[in-house]
Amino acid sequence: MSPSASDVPSPPATEPIPAEVEALREHLAPIQDLRTAAQVLSWDQETYMPSGGAEARAHQLSTLQRLAHERFVADETGRLLSDAEAAADGLDPESDAASLVRVTRRDFDRERTVPSDLVARMSQAVSRAKEAWKSARADDDFDAFAPHLETIVELNVEKAEAIGYKEEAYDALLDEYEPGMTTAEVADTFDRLRKDLVPLVDAIADAPQIDDSVLQGSFPVEAQKAFGEDIIREIGYDFDRGRQDVSAHPFTTSFGVGDVRLTTRFDENHFGSSLYSTLHEAGHGMYEQGIDPDLERTPLAEGASLGIHESQSRFVENQIGRSRAFWERYAPMAREAFPDALADAGADDLYRAVNRVEPSLIRVEADEVTYNLHVMLRFELERGLVRGDVDVRELPDLWRDKMDTYLGVVPDTDANGVLQDVHWSLGAIGYFPTYALGTLMSAQIAEAMEADLGDLDARVSRGEFQPILDWLRTHIHRHGRKYTAPELLKRATGEAFSADAWLQSIREKYGALYDASLPQPGDAT
Ligand code: ZN
């Protein structure tokens, strides 16, 4: 059993906020404003800005980001922080004031330890690597990108050394995206998961394939937009505090709890892709909309980690959106929205089609079962790069070998292999694991929620989403960054992070879908 809402201790009767903490908060607020203003500019760049605006926008963004960074790492922040720490000593560690001081200290120390010349070199390397990656991918020319990636790896190692770590340099990089999680924990989780997952994928591949032709056809964009928006509105995304626009790569961005924006993209000939990207981003958006307004304009007004953030998007996309109950609820609406293409589509047809499993080359197109294997491969390679066990030049071959071992498919080009993701060209090493961590957490969260609320499918099929949203608000959303991901997960679910809930749910669901007796844990070892 996980703690129910009533078991959560109520906050102590409003503790007075020490003046020193208030002073820190006032100092940080305009820094958050600068960061948020930069987000608005980025959102505009990805949605409405004409291409001619690129150069001016790059200047505007870098100015805002530089101002925010300089103000944050300034000696004055350090002084105010030390004073606030002294004043907050003895406060309830879960209070807003104590949390603000604790999290600001973590951010401040981290940002101060990276020398500004390293930040500048990284930013130059990234702007060159981004361009090089784009053309290398278009030309399928890994050698053209390799020297840039070598520089990115070197700079990341330098950054990790500056920040410091206990076990290995990758820890310091991972910590930026998933505070509280160590490389060893991720590696252990992935190792165990892989042992179960690879034979599972093999067994599914041997079973008769699901027919998903119902998803192909003509799906007018306007109808897709209305259909997706009606559903996420019912699930709990608040359009009075948000909106959805179109961008090449869907994302969510927050300008405050009162203005959280989603983007999606449409494919006229395919039904699922826009809907599931809309559901995914709505999960991110509902998280941001659910953060306690008292935390606004502080560093606490964000998700606890990328993994926790992804757990919210995956929860809506997979636990809700890919359930049979979801299609029991929405198949009639889908037939009405797309009377030509879906005239004969029943709930079961749609449920089966959106859960077709097929090992494929591209991570972002992967199904729920094979997705985590794509992430593991990237984690292993980038950890090897940081350790020095893997040389950048070896990556294309290692990529093909691992794809073959894990998924049984091998890319015939590097564009469809090692060059497919943008992350490394942006300097981000340590980011990939959070995708899989979030997916695993989403199942753990669903299990705990079900223990509290009873049968979730029954609620979903009746469109009763309010209790589900309330549970997420209470246990996850409202806390913002007050707790690290492992702490938050433990509080929300009563248990430490583990892949067990996810594996079990996958085995049950896909065992039934593929009518296959899927391998049980340990069979493969
Ligand atoms: Zn996401």
Side-chain angles (χ1 to χ4, degrees), residues 309-471:
H309 231 301
E310 196 68 4
S311 79
Q312 298 308 290
S313 58
R314 290 294 185 191
F315 178 84
V316 174
E317 178 191 354
N318 291 340
Q319 310 295 327
I320 293 181
R322 290 185 204 277
S323 67
R324 189 186 298 270
F326 178 87
W327 284 111
E328 283 163 11
R329 172 90 187 148
Y330 295 113
M333 216 168 104
R335 285 193 295 270
E336 214 169 286
F338 310 101
D340 298 332
L342 296 182
D344 304 320
D348 202 56
D349 301 321
L350 289 163
Y351 168 64
R352 292 172 60 78
V354 302
N355 285 297
R356 178 185 164 111
V357 175
E358 188 158 40
S360 62
L361 300 175
I362 307 297
R363 175 184 62 85
V364 296
E365 292 165 10
D367 56 76
E368 193 183 3
V369 179
T370 57
Y371 184 86
N372 285 339
L373 290 166
H374 289 268
V375 174
M376 286 177 210
L377 173 157
R378 288 155 177 75
F379 165 69
E380 287 159 20
L381 293 179
E382 63 179 21
R383 185 191 190 191
L385 288 171
V386 172
R387 281 180 158 181
D389 301 343
V390 170
D391 190 278
V392 165
R393 307 278 164 174
E394 300 173 287
L395 283 177
D397 284 339
L398 288 171
W399 191 283
R400 282 188 283 271
D401 289 350
K402 282 184 188 287
M403 284 298 289
D404 194 18
T405 311
Y406 297 169
L407 288 157
V409 290
V410 181
D412 55 0
T413 65
D414 289 332
N416 285 329
V418 65
L419 286 173
Q420 67 182 266
D421 296 298
V422 70
H423 303 61
W424 289 339
S425 76
L426 300 178
I429 294 183
Y431 189 117
F432 280 122
T434 67
Y435 290 125
L437 297 174
T439 304
L440 303 175
M441 290 173 191
S442 73
Q444 206 175 338
I445 288 167
E447 191 180 71
M449 188 190 293
E450 188 138 48
D452 282 353
L453 298 183
D455 190 356
L456 290 184
D457 283 342
R459 291 183 189 274
V460 171
S461 65
R462 292 196 296 265
E464 285 172 23
F465 293 106
Q466 192 60 48
I468 295 175
L469 183 61
D470 288 344
W471 193 97

Side-chain angles (χ1 to χ4, degrees), residues 27-275:
H27 174 72
L28 295 173
I31 299 175
Q32 288 302 116
D33 294 341
L34 288 169
R35 289 177 176 158
T36 307
Q39 309 260 69
V40 180
L41 292 183
S42 299
W43 170 83
D44 173 70
Q45 179 167 17
E46 302 297 324
T47 49
Y48 294 103
M49 190 190 81
S51 58
E55 202 178 324
R57 186 57 48 90
H59 288 302
Q60 294 151 2
L61 273 169
S62 96
T63 299
L64 285 177
Q65 282 153 353
R66 184 172 47 76
L67 287 174
H69 178 74
E70 283 171 3
R71 275 184 169 230
F72 185 67
V73 299
D75 294 341
E76 193 192 353
T77 309
R79 274 196 306 277
L80 289 165
L81 183 55
S82 300
D83 292 349
E85 278 173 330
D89 191 32
L91 285 186
D92 174 4
E94 296 185 4
S95 65
D96 289 359
S99 300
L100 176 68
V101 170
R102 183 175 61 246
V103 170
T104 304
R105 168 59 71 192
R106 201 168 72 205
D107 291 351
F108 182 73
D109 286 351
R110 192 181 162 94
E111 288 203 33
R112 282 270 280 210
T113 49
V114 182
S116 50
D117 84 288
L118 174 55
V119 174
R121 279 184 288 137
M122 182 73 96
S123 135
Q124 281 162 12
V126 164
S127 62
R128 284 193 283 263
K130 259 181 355 196
E131 291 310 310
W133 171 75
K134 271 186 214 156
S135 48
R137 188 167 79 147
D139 303 341
D140 187 30
D141 181 4
F142 179 75
D143 288 344
F145 179 55
H148 297 277
L149 183 52
E150 280 166 358
T151 307
I152 298 269
V153 172
E154 279 165 23
L155 293 173
N156 266 286
V157 171
E158 200 179 325
K159 183 169 127 187
E161 295 299 338
I163 292 167
Y165 50 85
K166 279 205 194 99
E167 302 269 325
E168 59 182 277
Y170 192 88
D171 281 333
L173 304 176
L174 178 67
D175 192 66
E176 180 165 346
Y177 308 106
E178 204 56 36
M181 194 76 88
T182 67
T183 311
E185 282 166 329
V186 173
D188 276 0
T189 305
F190 286 1
D191 283 345
R192 271 185 286 137
L193 192 58
R194 189 176 46 246
K195 278 193 192 112
D196 286 341
L197 207 45
V198 170
L200 200 77
V201 171
D202 282 349
I204 291 175
D206 289 341
Q209 186 52 287
I210 287 172
D211 176 9
D212 67 348
S213 54
V214 66
L215 303 177
Q216 326 292 330
S218 175
F219 301 92
V221 164
E222 277 312 306
Q224 287 198 51
K225 180 168 156 55
F227 181 69
E229 292 190 354
D230 284 348
I231 293 178
I232 61 173
R233 185 179 290 113
E234 182 164 274
I235 291 177
Y237 175 76
D238 180 358
F239 276 92
D240 290 335
R241 296 187 290 137
R243 51 179 290 128
Q244 181 177 241
D245 295 273
V246 172
S247 68
H249 303 283
F251 65 94
T252 299
T253 185
S254 170
F255 313 148
V257 294
D259 189 354
V260 178
R261 305 194 184 190
L262 318 179
T263 70
T264 191
R265 61 181 166 199
F266 297 102
D267 179 347
E268 285 237 32
N269 303 312
H270 196 269
F271 178 49
S273 57
S274 169
L275 174 65

